[in-house]
Every structure is written in structure tokens, then in C-alpha cells.
Amino acid sequence: MVLFLSSGLFCLLMAAVGIQQTPSINDLHAECLGNVIRLSVAPLFEEVDAVFNDTQIINLTPGLATQCGFSFKFDPMGNAMFFASLQNCFSQNMDDKMFSLVMQFRLPGNHMTEDPVYRVGKTCSYTPWTSREILCDRNYMEVSVRRTLPDIQTVPEQPTGGPKARSANFRRGAEAVASGYKMTAVVFSPSKKVMNVDEVQRKGYAIANTPTRLVLRSPHNAEETYLQNVAGVPMRVLSTSTFFEQKWLVTRVDATAVCPTPEAVVFTPEVITWYMPKHIDPLFSSDAFTMLEVYMGIDAKRLDTEEMAARNYSVLVTEAHIIVEIPVGAVGGYFKSHIQDDQYFVTYTIEPMLELLWIEEVAHEDTSYKVLFPITTPPMARPPQVRNYTPLDTVPEQAVFVLELGTFNLDVELLNITFPTMVLTVAECNARGFNVQEQRSPDNTLKTFRMEVPFSDPVVVKERRAEQGVTTFTLQLIYGLVVFPEYAPFSHSAVVDAVLLDIVPPSVTGNCDQENFHITVDYRNQDPFFVVLVGKRLLNHELAQQYLTEGDADFTITLPFSSPDAVFESVHSSSVRSRLDVALLNPYNNMTIKYFSLACSFLKTLTECFSNGTMTALAVKVESAPGLNPGQLTLSDPACGPTYSDDRFAYFHFTVNSCGTTRKFINNVMLYENEISLPDELEVKLNATVSSEEEYQLKVSCYYVANTTRTLAFLTRPRDHEPFVETGTGRLMVRMRLAQDASYNTFHQEEDYPVVRYLRQPLHFEVELTTSSDPKVALVLDHCWATLNEDRDSRPRWNLIINGCENPEDPYRVVFHPVVADARVHFPPHVKRFEVYMFSFVDDAGEPSGQVFVHCDVGICDASSPSGGPCSGQCVNQDNPKRGQRHVKDLFEERHLYVSSGYILWV
């Protein structure tokens, strides 16, 4: 018997249709695939034999399978596929229209029982035949041509057993006698070698007559085949002429088969490319032909366009070639493991099929051409890796190494593990508590080996470093593995270590109130041995002063939910969900000792609706849109941007009849809705830059009762006295000074002018109301500008501040600085500060002038006026100055003042 797999022998018994039926098994499945029968077999079998006439059992060796039109395919999981040409030696042919085949499988039994036998039969219809049919399989090439001899009938010699029966079965139909015609000789080209029928079959070829056709079959490497380069592709060719003789007449039938060789394939690490000539020269009598059909399949079965697209297969028909591209690792193939010099390699195998149909325009003869073409990539290195998932946030007594070795194909098994002091099998490792497990990938095509080794086991080497307060744990091991079914051994060595602090890890807890996160770290009466990461920032001295409250053996971090160190997870109509991440890090190796995350929902009014028909909305940047710039958000009308924005928020203020707000009535309620989002062009740009970026959309709405009645109460009482007005006189003085630096502590004196500065060097100005101690009075910058000379109305003139906001046309805009009370400044509303970059005017000749004068108009107003009035502060939106412009009017007693600085020289 023939050994096909090292794990077992396969048994295939073939018989005519009349064989007695035996029980079938679910793992046998036969299909008719054009001129091929495919049988899928899941379990492993022992022997491959053929039954002839239900009496003779013939051993189906690889040579006989090739000669008779059978091929076999096995994957690493033990699954098998059998392919049989419809015109194989053992199928029952009914007028070249119906073909029946019965296969019998023998499973290995035991010494007490007979081997169980299973049979499966299949009858296939195949019509009409083309003038010529060529089949290229993995081990043979076959050509079937329409025979034009008149009334030839097959007269097989009946076998009587043994080798004679086998020889007769080969010759069945080879010698045909009718009307005096007899097959006499076969001539092979180009050698012109002549053989009779018996000699042809003894050489391993097969030749047979069917009711209408002549069939020839040859191994790929047969003596009379030859290589020919066709359109740059090496092809194997079998060319024959078969002679039939009558008394005084001789007739010749030509038959040629051409099949691709492995050199037709080009490999890259990612793609397999198979080149098939479009015009296969030895098969054509002229260049004029029409390609009617091109199909691709896998394992002899056609695929439709949707299946090919799902597997990322492609077929391209060019002027000279038909090009098939298959991704390495695509569905339909399989990986196989190999070992070379104790290194792990894999190959990928797949068996694509091409089916072509063409017709020659001169001869008007059509050809069906089918190739079953197994492809295996060259070995590809896949060095395994050991991944260390060891947690370091526990005490040494409880710590374990968590290791994962991979990745391997399913034909690899772990046999043992070698430690410095012992070798343990997988079973012994598990008995020791190492918990060795095999883990499969979700698609069940790959595996890894996971293991847990306690730090306390003797195989782990421990080294204490007292001066650092840490202990190093080291594990050395060698994995012993084997590839099935070849039993090819190989190994992989690894050394892993871990560093643990010699202390009890701290505990972290947390909770939220209406405005803040509260995170408590308990370090259990030990000195803090870690650094704290709050969000993405280390807790330094400055942050600790702001957020930290210390206890005896713990500390608490209190952080507002809107802090930049927290992230917003989601936004709802009346709440914001915010999260704070805190990590305790080992300062020696920067590894995480403890990680804690706290997420809470905080009540927050994001949309306000006012009875005067105005709405306000606050848009919040969320974690799922990290690339979002809130300043670029707009309402439904892209012209309506935020009134204020920074890197986390955008604030909108608008009326319900503007900015694309929609209105609809629901019963007695008017609903106004708008949407905050990025303009379309920015959304496309953002998604192209960050592929995982989510689209930002925030709907805002207000409800108003359409018809309602309000009841007001009005009471009067007599006045106690007549109204009166306080009057008085006084002077308000304003001065403007140039500070020496950004601290605004020292200023240039009058004798310092002209002050010399480099171009683009910052100038720090302060404007101050000097003679008032009234906290209700506020100073507001209205306009500031620069001139070439001291005359404030002279030309040329460059605006620095317009209507309280920086000049939008200035490439180096004014920067406003806040003012806080200190020993010098008692009333911050009386002082304004701003920063300008040094520049110069240019004359008509393009030469820069050497001096600049700065002037300002200021307003004095009532600081107690309602919010939104002139005393609400400097420009409220520096990113969008046009939207934030306002005029300083309704000033207290209509007072306007102006101030000017001395002149400044540039160098």
C-alpha cells in the first residue's frame, strides 16, 4: 500500500455503479464540477484501491492515479480532496453524456473486527462537449478530441485478474475495431517516436476511445513531453498523432495538450501573481481566435465576481496574458509550517483554477481549457516572539509571569519547556501550576501558547537591590516544539524579567460631587515611592499646590470636571460626562504600578433660552474627536461662528430667527432647533487627516409656549420724598506708559524717549486711570493706532485696536494682558494692558522710517452696567474679531479721553 500521509494511509475503492451500497458518512461529499468530479473527505483513511467489475481490487498507486486521471490533495489538518477526470479509467461512460463513479473508503479497524468500509457514488452529466477539451491537473495533462472516424465501437478485453486484469483495464477502448478500422500507432512530436498501443500504456501514458472521442493522458514529466516558451511563460507540451488503419486506408487524429509550469508564478511577500498566455501557440493553427469565456475558481470550483471580490482575488486579461493575483493568506488556501536550521518558516498553498473557452475563426473549432494549478510560496521566515503581559501592580508573593509565545500555524504543538534546572512536559508544567494553554485566533487559523509562572516558583531567579528598594525576577526558558505530521522539532529561547518595588502597592479610590473629581491615594503608612500622572501631566509642585490635599498616609486630588487634565467622553442636553485618568508610576522604570479611571456625569446647562428670542449654546470638545478645533465650529449657517472659543469649548450667542435656526409647532409649543458642526469642507479635510475621527454634531433647541397668559401684580405706595440728584465736579486723568518688560513693574520715564527696539520685539503698553478711587468706574480701550509723527491725526496711520478689538488685518495682532490687584494697582478696572510687536512705516521709495508714535482713545464707563454693556471687558473673541466687535457707547457722562506715548525708534 502507498503511504500518502505520515499519520495514516488513505483508502479509495472505486467500482461500477452496480456495487452494493453500504452506509455513508457525513464527511464524504461528491460534486460534479464540469469535466471533473471532486470528493471532499474530512477524516483520515488508510488505503487507496480501485475496484474493477465488483470483483478485482486494484491498488491505486500514485503512478496509476496519474495514468487513470486521479489526483489527491491534503492539508495540514488531515482533510483531503480527491479529483477525478470524468474520463478516468474506472467511471462508467454512457454515450459520452453521463458518467458514474463509485468510491469506497476503508477505515482502519482493530484486530477483533474487520476494517469498516464506506461508499459514495456520483453520476454526472456533461454535454455538449467542445471540439477539444484540455485538462491540466497537478500530476497529469489530458486532452480529449472529437473523433471523426465512422462507427468505431470499443471492444475491451475482459480482465481475468492480477496484472493481466490491470493491463486490460488500461487498454479498454484503446483498440477499436469496426468497419475495418483499428488503432495501430501513436507518433509523438517533435521526436517523431512511434509506439504501438501497448507500448504507450507501458510508458505510463493512457489512451482510450470513447463512443465519440479520443482521450490521451500523460504525466507532466513524461519522456515525450517538452518545454516551450509561450509569451515568456514556460509551458509543458504533449503533441501526438494517433493512426487508425483499415485494409487500404489510414486515418490520423492529432491531439495536443499544453499546461503551465511552476515558473509561471511570481511571488512577493504579499501577493501571488500567475501569468497564463492568452494565445497558447501550440494549440492554435492561426492567430485569429475569439476568447469567449474566462473563469477563475479554487479547487476546481468556479467563483462568481462577488466571491472573488470578497477574497481580494483578481483576474486581468491583457493583450498577451491572463493574469491572476491572489493575496498571500487569502481565503481558499492554507499555511504550512517548516523548520530550517531550527528556524520557523511558513509556506502558503492554494490551488486556483482557470477555465478558458475560445473558438478559432478559421477552423471554426472551439476549445475548453481547464487548469487546476497548485501554488506554494517559497518559505517565509516567521520568527516567534514571547510577549510579556506580567502585571507589576501587585506584591511579589502574588505576582506571576504571564507569557505568550506565538504566532504559529495549527500544525505546531508545544511538547516541553526547559528551565535552567529541569525539563518539564506540558502536563508536568500544568501540574506545577504554570497553567499552559493553547489559544486560537478568532478565525481558527493561528495559535499561541500562554503560560503563567509564579514569581515564587524555584525556576524564577530573584535578585534584591536593597539600595534601590526593588527586587528583580528573571525567568529563563526554552520552548520545545514540533511540526506535524512530519514530527520536525525546533525550539525557541527566551529570557524575561520584572522589577518590583519592595513595598505594598497603594490603593486608589474616587468619587464625584456636582463640580469636582475627588481621587484618594492611600499609600499605607509608607513613604510615597511613586510619581503621579494626572491625565497626561505629572503631578508637579505647581499642580499639587492647586489640587492636592495631604493626609497622614494618603492624599486627595480634587480636580474640576472641566479641567484640561480631564477628558469629556460625551455631551448630553443637560449634562457632560467627564473622565479623569490617574496612574501611579514606578520612577525607576516608568512602569505603571496602579491605574485608576473615574468617569462621572455632571449637570451642566449647555443651552439657555431667553424670553427675548435669543439662545446661547456651549459646544464641548469630546475624546472621540481629538483633532477638532472648536473655533472652527459653526451653526447651521456657516457664517455664524462662536462668540468665544478656546481649545476645548465654543460658545454661541444668536437669535432664534438667524443662523439657519428652524422652527416648527408641536401642539401649543414652538420648537426652535439648530446644529453645531464643522463646515463640510473642514469635515472632509479632518476625516482625511484622521481616519478614525468621528463626525461632530451637536443639536441645540429651545421650546416656547405659543399661547400663554401671565398674571402680574402691581402695588403702589406714596413716596417718602421727592427724587434728587447728586452733583459734583472733578477731573479724570489717564496716562499711557511703556513697560520695560512683560511684568509691568517698571516703566520708561519721559527722559528715556526715544526708546530703541528691534523689529518684532514686543512693546508692553499700560493705560491707567490715575485720579479716581471709585470702584464703579472702568476704563475701556476704544481705538489705538500708530503714526509716523507726534500728530495723532497725521498720515500714514496703522490701526492697532478697533472698537476694543485687535485689528483683523494686522498679521501680528495685539495681545491683551489681564490685570490683577497688587501693591500698585488697587482697582484693576482702572488699568488696561496690551502688547504690540515693533514695526516701522515704509516711505514711497520702500525705505523704512525710523520712528513710531502710539495713540489711544479710551472710554470711562459705569462698571456696574448690565453684562453685555461697554464695561463687559476687552474684545471677547480674539479668534473671530469681526464677530466680537462692539462700539464703546452709552459711556458714563459721555466722556471720551485720549492718550499718546512718546516716540519709539527701531534698529
Side-chain angles (χ1 to χ4, degrees), residues 17 30-32 37 99-103 120-124:
V17 177
E31 295 178 271
C32 300
I37 300 175
F99 300 84
S100 291
L101 183 67
V102 175
M103 297 184 179
V120 59
K122 193 67 177 176
T123 299
C124 298

Side-chain angles (χ1 to χ4, degrees), residues 35-291:
N35 57 358
V36 172
I37 300 175
R38 185 180 77 177
L39 178 64
S40 301
V41 185
L44 293 177
F45 294 85
E46 257 201 351
E47 294 181 348
V48 180
D49 291 321
V51 177
F52 179 69
N53 279 354
D54 200 20
T55 57
Q56 302 295 326
I57 296 178
I58 302 173
N59 184 257
L60 196 61
T61 64
L64 181 58
T66 298
Q67 193 172 14
C68 281
F70 294 91
S71 66
F72 315 104
K73 168 186 173 180
F74 308 100
D75 68 19
M77 302 306 299
N79 301 309
M81 281 189 179
F82 294 80
F83 302 91
S85 167
L86 284 186
Q87 300 180 102
N88 67 79
C89 298
F90 306 108
S91 60
Q92 184 175 353
N93 184 339
M94 291 163 274
D95 297 324
D96 283 335
K97 297 179 181 179
M98 303 290 291
F99 300 84
S100 291
L101 183 67
V102 175
M103 297 184 179
Q104 180 169 289
F105 294 84
R106 188 179 302 277
L107 286 164
N110 55 53
H111 65 284
M112 300 294 295
T113 62
E114 293 186 8
D115 294 347
V117 175
Y118 297 94
R119 293 182 183 176
V120 59
K122 193 67 177 176
T123 299
C124 298
S125 171
Y126 188 70
T127 184
W129 291 82
T130 58
S131 301
R132 176 174 55 185
E133 304 250 343
I134 297 172
L135 175 62
C136 301
D137 205 338
R138 64 177 55 232
N139 54 336
Y140 66 86
M141 50 205 307
E142 176 184 286
V143 56
S144 168
V145 295
R146 184 180 295 124
R147 197 190 58 240
T148 57
L149 297 178
D151 302 327
I152 292 184
Q153 299 177 359
T154 59
V155 184
E157 179 181 346
Q158 299 300 320
T160 58
K164 183 178 179 182
R166 186 183 312 167
S167 175
N169 188 48
F170 292 165
R171 199 166 56 251
R172 183 174 55 141
E175 297 179 2
V177 180
S179 303
Y181 279 100
K182 182 178 181 180
M183 185 189 303
T184 58
V186 178
V187 178
F188 293 87
S189 298
S191 66
K192 304 301 182 181
K193 187 172 183 177
V194 181
M195 300 184 191
N196 59 37
V197 173
D198 287 336
E199 187 179 0
V200 166
Q201 293 175 338
R202 285 196 303 271
K203 291 285 188 178
Y205 303 96
I207 186 168
N209 275 311
T210 72
T212 62
R213 307 185 70 80
L214 173 67
V215 181
L216 282 158
R217 193 176 300 113
S218 167
H220 285 291
N221 58 351
E223 181 180 352
E224 298 304 324
T225 63
Y226 61 95
L227 284 175
Q228 181 174 336
N229 190 297
V230 182
V233 179
M235 305 286 284
R236 178 68 62 176
V237 183
L238 172 70
S239 181
T240 66
S241 297
T242 303
F243 290 86
F244 295 84
E245 294 184 7
Q246 204 183 27
K247 286 185 178 180
W248 306 109
L249 296 175
V250 176
T251 299
R252 186 182 76 181
V253 178
D254 294 332
T256 301
V258 182
C259 293
T261 63
E263 288 74 20
V265 182
V266 176
F267 300 98
T268 70
E270 295 80 23
V271 179
I272 297 169
T273 306
W274 170 23
Y275 291 88
M276 171 64 69
K278 183 179 178 182
H279 185 281
I280 307 173
D281 296 345
L283 298 180
F284 287 87
S285 58
S286 69
D287 292 335
F289 76 102
T290 301
M291 185 68 70

